Amino acid sequence: MKDNNGFKAYMDECRKYTAAIKYENLFFWGGWVCEELLAISQGIISRLLAEKEISLIKDILSYIWSVVDSNDKLSPEKSRIYLRNLNDINETDLDRTDYQENALYELIISIDAIMNFAVSKRRGFEYNLSMAVLNAIDSKLQDDDQDILTDEGFNEPILQREIESQTLILRLMAEKKLDSNSKKLYR
């Protein structure tokens, strides 16, 4: 199988769109991606994490959506506390070759990136968030001896749906500020 230029073209387009996300939509982007990762890992999360860790993840997601909706002003101190507590979760034991476990791994890493941004105000995490769901999907395709970098894997419906969803939401974010009412949009 030859390498796929379709995936490379999508990644180039994604880099362009994610770099252009306005500050007002950065937390929305993070929350939107994390909601999908949480949905994918929902079937195994209680088996792999303690209730306290699950609660922390859900609290952080609620905080992100509250910031998006401006119900809760961004608090660097609160973000630091969340970040410190998040560091207590050991994601290194998760099986990155398993679809759901990899999604959980990507969720923890993505939430960490968002909280780091909340504290530092340094951009650069946006593109990695777009890759988080794609990485989870790639682990699912690998189980079927496919790869997102090949024509066959790139054209798999599960990957194409995610690419279409990301493209639509990224284009919409370029036009307007989104709120938590849109957190399941295109999903």
Side-chain angles (χ1 to χ4, degrees), residues 29-131:
W29 175 240
W32 186 82
V33 168
C34 288
E35 287 290 339
E36 182 65 8
L37 293 167
L38 181 60
I40 294 168
S41 61
Q42 197 62 48
I44 57 142
I45 194 169
S46 62
R47 185 170 44 88
L48 298 172
L49 297 182
E51 190 56 44
K52 177 181 169 186
E53 295 168 329
I54 297 168
S55 181
L56 174 65
I57 288 170
K58 290 180 179 180
D59 286 350
I60 294 172
L61 272 174
S62 292
Y63 172 64
I64 289 168
W65 289 119
S66 185
V67 168
V68 166
D69 291 338
S70 299
N71 297 333
D72 197 3
K73 190 173 177 147
L74 178 64
S75 164
E77 183 55 34
K78 189 173 188 177
S79 300
R80 274 195 247 341
I81 292 168
Y82 277 141
L83 192 56
R84 190 171 38 248
N85 292 337
L86 190 61
N87 287 330
D88 290 337
I89 299 175
N90 182 5
E91 75 280 354
T92 60
D93 290 337
L94 296 171
D95 181 359
R96 305 260 339 259
T97 64
D98 179 85
Y99 176 52
Q100 290 182 315
E101 286 192 45
N102 196 20
L104 182 55
Y105 172 86
E106 294 289 348
L107 173 62
I108 295 165
I109 297 303
S110 296
I111 289 175
D112 183 77
I114 297 163
M115 289 298 97
N116 270 304
F117 168 72
V119 171
S120 72
K121 305 288 190 270
R122 275 183 254 137
R123 294 183 67 139
F125 67 97
E126 306 91 330
Y127 173 75
N128 291 340
L129 288 180
S130 63
M131 286 302 299

